[in-house]
Every structure is written in structure tokens, then in C-alpha cells.
Amino acid sequence: MGGHIPTLDDLGDVRGKRVLVRTDFNVPMENGAITDDFRIRAALPTINWLTEHGATVVTASHLGRPKGAPNPKYSMDAVRARLAELAPGVELLENLRFDPGEEGNDPAFVARLVDGIDAYVDDAFGAAHRAHASIVGPPQTLPSAMGLLLQKEVEVLLGLRNDPKHPFVAVLGGAKISDKLGVVEALLGVVDSLVVGGAMCFTFLAAQGHRIGDSLFEPDQVDTCRRLLSGATEQGKTIHLPDDIVGVDADGNYATFGNELPDGAKGFDIGPGTAAAFSDVIMDARTVFWNGPMGMFEDDRFAAGTRTVAQAMADTKAFTVVGGGDSAAALAQFGLDDDVDHVSTGGGASLELLELGDLPGLEALRKAPNA
Ligand code: ADP
Ligand code: MG
């Protein structure tokens, strides 16, 4: 950490230069069509800044997981067509991950990427936690900068980590607890309380000795959850867990439970009492970070908990930040994405930046020749 990360102004005069912009155009697609162009629109301020300053812009991104081989399913054609509407004249290279050199950070692939390029801009926050060729390669030789989107993400998320207004509440949910325990641990150092819903809550409930039926849970994480719960108590922090749960009973019928689930039952959402309690915590906070839906919100029967939390995020006077693809999708589904202060374009990247305070992409920019 430490050291200056160059911004667009540090590129010098870009008039007549070819500037490679690493964007995150990893957009959701269905049957070859883009279902949400948020990530393309999010790159426009940087692209427009560069073209207004006389540069020729070449963008490059990954899309999906083609695993190092060309695959028409992951072609950039639809993205290129949308980009041509939003930013005419801007080039877009083929999917970076069609070449194994991207994820392998192969110097030969980096050399091909920077061939004929005069400067590099990283605006791909969603990929900044990966030491891939297009992220860490170009700044080794080219004058480089973070784009406006990346700059905003870094300001907001490092602001949360380093200087939040209290009470600071983190609301965590989603499916995979093992991915997120590092963040829980790091966040416990800075938050005043933690609110846990989603499938994640069942491993915590099991750690407290509750019966969780057949709900999703990760047995090998129970000890860690137990340790986090007692660590929180020692630090005078609160971890709020559900005391009612909505899901299905052993026969698959919709049911509401307390915090003890009978054998065969599955929990798919926080219950109404819990949702109200969680939203009170959010309303009383001055800073809130939310990652991970409170339930299986894709199914209408189990969307209420996530909707209540999303509404509280929109209504609270607190500074509100949402990270995570599915959480952002839930907000958008409820029409509330304009009512929070910052929706991060990076799921994993936002968690890693909060946890570690740095990312490989930022580290690379700090070492650029113009830094
Ligand atoms: P994000 O993308 O916001 O980081 P995750 O990817 O961690 O969130 O988790 C999102 C997924 O978690 C959603 O698809 C949702 O259906 C699922 N989920 C949340 N709660 C539950 C639950 N109780 N049981 C099963 N799946 C759940
Ligand atoms: Mg997700």
C-alpha cells in the first residue's frame, strides 16, 4: 500500500495517442443478447474523457469463462454493437480470455496487447483483484492511469475501510460463506455491527447450536463462525442473526419457522420479523455496506427479505454502498438502484479491497513509469 496511483491527468497529453482501456464489459447475457448494459454505461465517463482529449480509444474486456479458447458463445459482438451505439468510433478487442495468456499473465500476450498502444487506462474494477495479463501487464511499460470508474470505486471502498461514519453496519448474505469469511473477519475490525442473512446465516445459526434442517450450510466453516461470534462479543460488536426464517417444510410446502428448523425443512429467506429488525439496524446506521441477498430472491416467494433490506438501504439517511453482482441485480429488480449512494461494479473485487485494502491492479498502476 501507499504510493501514488496515477489518474487520467497523470497521463499527460493524450492527443493523437492510442489508449488501451481495460474495461469490465462482463455483462449478463441471455441467448446472445445483453440483459443489462450497466457495465458498458459505467465505462463511458472514462471513454468520453479520453476522446474529448483527442485520444483514440481501444477497449478490451473479458466476457464469461471461455477458459483460454475462442468460443462463439462468449464473443464480444453484442457488446461491440451496444458500445457502437453509446460511444461511436471506439474499438473493442475480442474477448481477452479467448487466449490462455490473459489468465496466465503471459508476457508474450502482454506484448501483443500493448503493440501500437501509447498509454493504458484500467477502468475494470470488477477484474482488478486478478493478476491477469491485461490488468498487471501494460503498466510495466506504458504510462498508465486508473479510469474514473476505478477511481470512484477505490475512493468509496477505501473510505469505508479507513474512515467510516459510525455506526457502521455491514449486511451480508448470499450463498457461499467460505468466500466471504475473510471479509467478515476484516469487517469486524471496522464495523459496529454485522447483519447476516442469506444462506450464509445457517452456518452461523448451526454454530450457535440451532437446528437448521436441510438448509444450505458449510459444515467445515462452523468452527470459524463460532470463533467469529465469540470474537465479536469480546470486541463489543453485535452479529445480528435471523430469529425467523421462511422456506419449505419436509413436504416442500411454503412455511414460516422460528430459528429452529425441523428435519427436512429448508430455509430460503429471512422471516418478516427478522427483515423488520434488520431494516431498523440499517435505518439507525450512518454507513451501510451490503453484500449478498437475504434469500433466494429470484423466486418471488423468497424475495421479501431482500426487498425489505433493499428498501431500508434506499430509505436510510446513512451513506450506502452495495457490492456484489446478485445484490446489485436485486436492487435493480426492485427499482431501487438509484436510491443508494454507490453500487459497486465489482463483487469479488469490492470484498477483496475491503478485506485487504489493496488489489493487484492498483499495485501495478502504482509501479507505472509515470506514477
Ligand atoms: P453477490 O453476487 O451479491 O455477492 P452471492 O453470489 O454470494 O451474492 O449469492 C447470491 C445467491 O445466493 C443468489 O442466487 C440467491 O438465490 C442465493 N441465496 C441466498 N440465500 C439463499 C438461501 N437461503 N438458500 C439458497 N440460496 C440462497
Ligand atoms: Mg453472485
Side-chain angles (χ1 to χ4, degrees):
M1 267 191 276
H4 175 65
I5 306 175
T7 61
L8 293 176
D9 287 321
D10 297 314
L11 286 178
D13 189 6
V14 294
R15 193 161 300 277
K17 303 242 172 91
R18 277 176 76 79
V19 181
L20 176 68
V21 183
R22 175 52 159 105
T23 51
D24 176 8
F25 290 160
N26 187 27
V27 294
M29 308 263 295
E30 240 164 68
N31 305 320
I34 298 168
T35 54
D36 184 353
D37 66 357
F38 168 62
R39 286 182 163 173
I40 306 177
R41 287 182 286 111
L44 293 178
T46 296
I47 292 172
N48 292 339
W49 189 98
L50 288 164
T51 49
E52 279 157 21
H53 284 75
T56 299
V57 175
V58 182
T59 57
S61 175
H62 71 283
L63 176 64
R65 297 180 183 275
K67 306 216 166 100
N71 180 340
K73 194 178 155 210
Y74 298 112
S75 127
M76 300 301 289
D77 288 352
V79 176
R80 192 173 292 111
R82 184 70 184 124
L83 182 65
E85 292 168 359
L86 295 168
V90 170
E91 290 174 46
L92 172 60
L93 303 183
E94 194 38 279
N95 192 336
L96 290 164
R97 290 191 188 164
F98 280 4
D99 193 304
E102 166 65 356
E103 291 176 82
N105 190 16
D106 176 2
F109 184 64
V110 175
R112 262 182 286 145
L113 272 180
V114 303
D115 187 34
I117 297 289
D118 304 303
Y120 168 77
V121 172
D122 185 356
D123 216 16
F125 179 63
H129 59 316
R130 312 269 187 218
H132 292 170
S134 65
I135 305 289
V136 297
Q140 289 168 3
T141 53
L142 294 176
S144 300
M146 52 182 169
L148 299 168
L149 172 64
L150 180 57
Q151 192 178 343
K152 174 84 193 297
E153 295 274 12
V154 169
E155 268 168 30
V156 168
L157 291 159
L158 287 186
L160 286 192
R161 193 176 192 271
N162 300 329
D163 189 24
K165 288 204 163 65
H166 294 277
F168 179 14
V169 177
V171 181
L172 298 175
K176 265 212 113 185
I177 194 166
S178 42
D179 285 356
K180 296 188 181 177
L181 279 181
V183 188
V184 174
E185 187 135 39
L187 281 174
L188 268 178
V190 284
V191 299
D192 300 288
S193 63
L194 211 69
V195 170
V196 181
M200 219 183 167
C201 73
F202 297 108
T203 309
F204 278 98
L205 288 172
Q208 287 186 327
H210 294 290
R211 297 167 61 205
I212 57 161
D214 280 349
S215 306
L216 266 188
F217 103 118
E218 293 178 55
D220 55 335
Q221 302 296 333
V222 172
D223 280 343
T224 313
C225 287
R226 201 171 286 134
R227 191 169 50 74
L228 287 169
L229 285 163
S230 59
T233 312
E234 277 161 30
Q235 295 177 61
K237 316 237 158 137
T238 318
I239 298 185
H240 300 273
L241 291 168
D243 41 34
D244 60 348
I245 302 279
V246 165
V248 296
D249 63 21
D251 300 323
N253 297 315
Y254 181 90
T256 305
F257 310 99
N259 63 7
E260 303 287 339
L261 269 63
D263 288 348
K266 290 190 179 90
F268 289 128
D269 193 12
I270 57 174
T274 300
F278 285 7
S279 85
D280 286 346
V281 176
I282 293 169
M283 293 307 290
D284 291 339
R286 291 186 70 199
T287 309
V288 190
F289 173 72
W290 177 30
N291 171 280
M294 294 293 102
M296 220 167 70
F297 73 98
E298 297 91 341
D299 182 330
D300 253 359
R301 296 174 299 164
F302 308 119
T306 303
R307 185 190 297 271
T308 301
V309 161
Q311 192 64 54
M313 289 294 285
D315 292 342
T316 182
K317 290 201 174 66
F319 180 69
T320 45
V321 179
V322 179
D326 292 291
S327 325
L331 258 191
Q333 185 180 310
F334 306 139
L336 296 170
D337 40 343
D338 287 337
D339 300 324
V340 297
D341 291 294
H342 182 73
V343 181
S344 176
T345 50
S350 66
L351 294 177
E352 195 168 319
L353 187 54
L354 277 177
E355 180 182 350
L356 306 173
D358 205 2
L359 297 172
L362 303 178
E363 221 178 295
L365 290 172
R366 252 186 240 112
K367 293 183 194 144
N370 62 324

